[in-house]
Amino acid sequence: MTTMFLIHAIAARRIALLAALALVLGGLAGCASGPNANPRDPFEPFNRKMLEFNEALDSVALKPAATAYRNTVPPLARTGVSNFFGNLRDVWSGVNSLLQFKFHNAAENFLRFEVNTVFGLGGILDIASDMNIERHTEDFGQTLGRWGVPAGPYLMLPFFGPSTVRDAIALPVDRRADPLGSVEGWDARWSLYVLKAVDTRANLLRVTSVLGEAALDKYSFTRDAHLQRRRAEILEGGKRSGSDGREPAAEGDAARPVSDGYVPPEPAEDAAPAR
């Protein structure tokens, strides 16, 4: 288990190189896919292989750990763990809200962190939600998209799951900003990383079970759900136009741009292994 998460960290540092390589090979991948290649997904052969790799890794390591965690840890304790990591994430979300000039969202994210840290036992209790202080989850990929950086093709990353070229390039910044990286002591830091990954995967057990039963093509369903969600996040429900093609639409959404008031449905969670 520890070895797997060590590989996970090394992959985070090298993800930018992977994204750059994907850009260089994009033309070759498009040609290899033939004239009927999906313009949103020119790396589909590679992406499908990566999905198979992620699912194999998940089945032998992360899913069994998450199942055991769910079956042995009381729900109240699991909620406290999720609240704790969500509280840490609010800080980086606040920074990205500032970078996007969303000052109200930034203020709420920082206020959430202060309230939950001080009055919620370090974030174990979500007092801010009880006070109706809204959470606005943001990452650096959204910040780049906010300022017009194109999403690029869909990309399935090893270990991290569904992404785009832009989000893959932004991922090392998000990982670097994770407060867990500043925890002193290798053992303590990696114990928190493992706990975070297992807790996140445990929260997705029901979603992935339903997906496996309902989706005829799990790859296409996962891709379209991810692109819909990210498009809605970047375009903010119609406040910005998506007609320039910078945010790829999922299958069936191309004729209904976000600018006309249509917001693609957002799934509860991503279906691939947690990042």
Side-chain angles (χ1 to χ4, degrees):
M1 178 73 70
T2 302
T3 302
M4 183 192 72
F5 285 99
L6 180 59
I7 297 173
H8 182 97
I10 295 172
R13 296 187 180 93
R14 297 180 178 177
I15 207 69
L17 179 59
L18 174 65
L21 181 61
L23 283 172
V24 173
L25 297 178
L28 294 177
C31 293
S33 299
N36 296 323
N38 189 326
R40 299 166 302 133
D41 190 9
F43 309 123
E44 183 170 350
F46 167 83
N47 288 337
R48 286 186 178 272
K49 291 295 184 182
M50 282 300 101
L51 178 61
E52 293 176 4
F53 170 79
N54 286 339
E55 289 187 327
L57 183 64
D58 180 66
S59 66
V60 300
L62 200 52
K63 185 177 179 179
T67 302
Y69 172 77
R70 184 191 60 182
N71 293 338
T72 58
V73 179
L76 186 61
R78 298 201 308 269
T79 298
V81 171
S82 297
N83 288 342
F84 173 78
F85 291 118
N87 187 52
L88 295 181
R89 189 170 59 246
D90 285 340
V91 179
W92 184 232
S93 292
V95 172
N96 279 286
S97 294
L98 281 178
L99 293 175
Q100 297 174 45
F101 294 170
K102 300 177 183 177
F103 299 116
H104 176 76
N105 292 1
E108 288 196 315
N109 279 328
F110 289 134
L111 182 58
R112 282 186 57 86
F113 177 75
E114 292 175 1
V115 169
N116 286 337
T117 300
V118 175
F119 301 105
L121 303 179
I124 295 176
L125 303 177
D126 190 1
I127 305 298
S129 291
D130 294 337
M131 298 173 62
N132 295 320
I133 304 175
E134 188 175 354
R135 167 174 283 152
H136 308 275
T137 304
E138 304 277 354
D139 55 53
F140 194 61
Q142 289 173 248
T143 297
L144 293 179
R146 172 77 172 180
W147 296 113
V149 177
Y154 177 74
L155 188 63
M156 178 66 70
L157 300 176
F159 308 106
F160 295 98
S163 186
T164 62
V165 170
R166 179 194 59 212
D167 290 346
I169 294 173
L171 183 57
V173 178
D174 289 325
R175 304 297 295 183
R176 184 73 174 179
D178 189 341
L180 295 183
S182 62
V183 174
E184 295 185 3
W186 189 92
D187 290 341
R189 183 165 59 251
W190 278 102
S191 295
L192 288 172
Y193 276 132
V194 170
L195 179 59
K196 180 180 179 181
V198 171
D199 177 71
T200 302
R201 184 64 182 91
N203 292 332
L204 295 174
L205 285 173
R206 179 173 298 179
V207 176
T208 53
S209 176
V210 172
L211 173 62
E213 296 174 358
L216 295 177
D217 182 359
K218 185 182 293 188
Y219 173 80
S220 297
F221 185 92
T222 301
R223 177 192 63 201
D224 291 345
H226 179 77
L227 292 178
Q228 286 176 344
R229 180 177 66 86
R230 288 302 280 177
R231 180 178 171 85
E233 288 173 345
I234 300 298
L235 301 179
E236 299 180 294
K239 295 178 182 178
R240 294 179 53 214
S241 173
S243 60
D244 59 5
R246 289 176 177 172
E247 301 304 322
E251 197 71 38
D253 291 337
R256 302 184 64 184
V258 173
S259 57
D260 71 1
Y262 167 69
V263 181
E266 179 176 351
E269 293 284 352
D270 284 343
R275 300 204 272 192

